[in-house]
């Protein structure tokens, strides 16, 4: 793809052919699905509906942030509240790949419900080339089981349409600029959301803990970036560990879980380096996390492992 304008014209024609009636679009707030949704909106107008699902696994403020991003991109969308469905599907599941599978399946069931309400028989996704190359390739692990290829149940009732299948990230960015999508400096965030940031069981309480801790990590890192104490990391987040560890408040010993802080530098997520952080920033994070989650989280750890041998995510 050399010419974004020509790509857009062609994509519009292909979408008009691929969607004879109505379609919904799975919009996650990321650039790929936003571009896919805008193309569908241009091609099909109100025969296309972009859907943003509140899984209950989103970060603090994410619903509002994504809403502002869609508004700035002039993309009409509908927010679908589905937290209960996701937590039900995840009840009692510890295994990371099983979490991803169940989340992928729940997404599709939610899409099917919404498609039925809208009278649609197509589902548009913003899958790009590295997604399916990574998901299906014999040489790579299944990185993105969700929302993209691998995670879709075989019996899905909707026909999948993927207008960006052949594009790479820099090409999507060029199309996004052409469509007037504002540049967003968002760090990568896994499709399965905070479910893979709580090691072990996924409950609303544990997700809320990691949400609170994660917001503190984001705030403190962004403050340090703004103050030029550190360069902007590739990813920075919190993970909740299912350990029982002892702490002390006043005269009392309390047992709680532990939070891991993960801050990495990388260019393409294939390899990554644990960032060397100023002690004061880590101390502030630790102090704020254990105060905000007093009694529930009594310890914060800093992950100093590079990728390889570790991955960026804990699950
Ligand atoms: P790892 O943990 O394999 O992650 O070093 C590499 C990059 O991929 C992101 N990641 C995911 N993205 N669904 C996604 O959409 C997933 O299941 C998933 N798992 C990892 C991770 O955040 C990092 O940027």
């Amino acid at each position: 793809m050399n010419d974004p304008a020509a790509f857009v014209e062609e994509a519009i024609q292909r979408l008009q052919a691929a969607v004879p009636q109505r379609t919904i679009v799975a919009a996650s707030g990321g650039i790929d699905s936003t571009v896919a949704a805008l193309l569908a909106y241009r091609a099909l107008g109100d025969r296309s509906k972009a859907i943003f699902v509140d899984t209950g696994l989103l970060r603090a403020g994410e619903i509002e942030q994504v809403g502002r991003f869609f508004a700035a991109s002039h993309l009409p969308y509908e927010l679908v509240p589905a937290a209960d469905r996701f937590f039900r599907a995840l009840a009692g599941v510890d295994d990371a790949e099983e979490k991803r599978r169940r989340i992928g399946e729940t997404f599709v069931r939610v899409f099917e419900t919404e498609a039925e309400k809208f009278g649609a028989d197509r589902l548009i996704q913003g899958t790009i080339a590295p997604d399916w190359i990574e998901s299906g390739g014999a040489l790579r692990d299944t990185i993105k089981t969700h929302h993209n290829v691998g995670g879709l149940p075989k019996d899905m009732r909707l026909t999948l349409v993927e207008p960006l299948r052949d594009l790479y990230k820099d090409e999507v960015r060029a199309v996004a600029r052409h469509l007037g999508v504002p540049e967003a400096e968002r760090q990568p965030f896994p499709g399965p959301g905070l479910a893979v940031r709580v090691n072990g069981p996924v409950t609303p309480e544990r997700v809320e803990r990691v949400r609170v801790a994660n917001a503190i990590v984001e705030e403190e890192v962004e403050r340090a970036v703004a103050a030029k104490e550190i360069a902007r990391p590739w990813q920075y987040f919190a993970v909740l560990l299912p350990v029982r560890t002892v702490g002390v408040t006043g005269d009392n010993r309390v047992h709680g879980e532990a939070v891991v802080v993960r801050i990495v530098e990388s260019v393409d997520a294939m390899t990554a380096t644990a960032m060397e952080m100023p002690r004061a920033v880590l101390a502030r994070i630790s102090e704020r996390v254990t105060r905000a989650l007093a009694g529930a989280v009594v310890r914060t750890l800093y992950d100093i492992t590079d990728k390889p041998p570790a991955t960026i995510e804990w699950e």
Side-chain angles (χ1 to χ4, degrees), residues 100 143-145 188-192 234-235 269 307 311-313:
R100 286 183 166 81
I143 278 197
K144 288 198 179 181
T145 334
F189 182 61
W234 169 265
Q235 271 175 282
K307 171 184 181 174
T311 50
I312 295 175
E313 304 290 340

Side-chain angles (χ1 to χ4, degrees), residues 1-14 31 35 38-39 42 163-164 167-181 183:
M1 195 220 49
N2 301 320
D3 177 359
F7 174 83
V8 167
E9 283 318 307
E10 239 178 80
I12 286 175
Q13 283 177 17
R14 269 185 279 124
I31 183 169
V35 167
L38 279 171
L39 290 173
R42 287 217 181 168
L164 309 179
L167 299 195
Y168 284 84
K169 201 77 188 187
D170 52 330
E171 297 174 316
V172 178
R173 289 204 191 96
V175 176
R177 275 193 297 276
H178 178 75
L179 293 173
V181 175
E183 301 267 347

Side-chain angles (χ1 to χ4, degrees), residues 9 41 58 156 233 279:
E9 283 318 307
Y41 186 54
L58 299 171
M156 182 168 82
R279 184 70 182 80

Side-chain angles (χ1 to χ4, degrees), residues 265-278:
E265 297 175 286
S266 177
V267 247
D268 56 6
M270 302 288 281
T271 61
T273 313
M275 194 155 180
E276 192 172 319
M277 290 293 291

Side-chain angles (χ1 to χ4, degrees), residues 168-221:
Y168 284 84
K169 201 77 188 187
D170 52 330
E171 297 174 316
V172 178
R173 289 204 191 96
V175 176
R177 275 193 297 276
H178 178 75
L179 293 173
V181 175
E183 301 267 347
E185 261 195 67
R186 296 214 323 167
Q187 50 170 326
F189 182 61
L194 295 176
V196 292
R197 299 272 174 85
V198 294
N199 228 231
V202 184
T203 61
E205 296 71 29
R206 297 192 76 229
V207 168
E208 183 56 23
R209 279 177 207 164
V210 88
R211 182 180 288 125
V212 168
N214 193 67
I216 293 170
V217 172
E218 287 190 359
E219 268 176 43
E220 291 299 338
V221 167

Side-chain angles (χ1 to χ4, degrees), residues 15-29:
L15 281 168
Q16 285 166 343
V19 183
Q21 288 155 7
R22 290 173 160 227
T23 186
I24 57 166
V25 187
S28 69

Side-chain angles (χ1 to χ4, degrees), residues 9-259:
E9 283 318 307
E10 239 178 80
I12 286 175
Q13 283 177 17
R14 269 185 279 124
L15 281 168
Q16 285 166 343
V19 183
Q21 288 155 7
R22 290 173 160 227
T23 186
I24 57 166
V25 187
S28 69
I31 183 169
D32 308 343
S33 58
T34 303
V35 167
L38 279 171
L39 290 173
Y41 186 54
R42 287 217 181 168
L44 307 159
D46 57 11
R47 288 194 290 124
S48 166
K49 185 194 263 192
I51 282 166
F52 177 59
V53 181
D54 177 6
T55 57
L57 304 166
L58 299 171
R59 287 164 292 183
E62 196 167 357
I63 291 178
E64 296 75 14
Q65 210 179 347
V66 168
R68 285 194 296 272
F69 179 66
F70 287 157
S73 305
H74 302 285
L75 176 68
Y77 73 103
E78 189 171 310
L79 176 70
V80 177
D84 290 352
R85 262 176 107 156
F86 280 86
F87 282 115
R88 259 199 315 271
L90 288 164
V93 180
D94 270 19
D95 179 74
E97 279 310 303
E98 183 61 16
K99 285 181 190 175
R100 286 183 166 81
R101 204 192 59 70
R102 295 214 189 181
I103 288 169
E105 162 139 31
T106 308
F107 264 115
V108 168
R109 299 303 167 224
V110 170
F111 294 147
E112 284 174 344
T113 307
E114 295 307 310
E116 196 166 340
K117 282 195 229 161
F118 186 56
D121 59 358
R122 299 286 195 275
L123 169 65
I124 295 182
Q125 284 197 311
T127 318
I128 65 172
D131 298 338
W132 56 268
I133 292 167
E134 283 172 2
S135 291
L139 299 174
R140 296 293 316 273
D141 287 340
T142 311
I143 278 197
K144 288 198 179 181
T145 334
H146 143 86
H147 235 238
N148 305 313
V149 247
L152 298 175
K154 300 269 175 294
D155 63 349
M156 182 168 82
R157 295 200 300 271
L158 300 166
T159 303
L160 199 58
V161 179
E162 298 175 313
L164 309 179
R165 249 190 100 73
D166 297 326
L167 299 195
Y168 284 84
K169 201 77 188 187
D170 52 330
E171 297 174 316
V172 178
R173 289 204 191 96
V175 176
R177 275 193 297 276
H178 178 75
L179 293 173
V181 175
E183 301 267 347
E185 261 195 67
R186 296 214 323 167
Q187 50 170 326
F189 182 61
L194 295 176
V196 292
R197 299 272 174 85
V198 294
N199 228 231
V202 184
T203 61
E205 296 71 29
R206 297 192 76 229
V207 168
E208 183 56 23
R209 279 177 207 164
V210 88
R211 182 180 288 125
V212 168
N214 193 67
I216 293 170
V217 172
E218 287 190 359
E219 268 176 43
E220 291 299 338
V221 167
E222 279 155 22
R223 182 190 309 202
V225 169
K228 301 203 179 342
E229 292 172 51
I230 55 168
R232 177 174 292 280
W234 169 265
Q235 271 175 282
Y236 42 103
F237 55 87
V239 176
L240 185 69
L241 297 188
V243 294
R244 188 177 140 83
T245 178
V246 66
V248 58
T249 52
D251 293 334
N252 297 321
R253 289 163 79 78
V254 287
H255 289 89
E257 294 183 304
V259 159

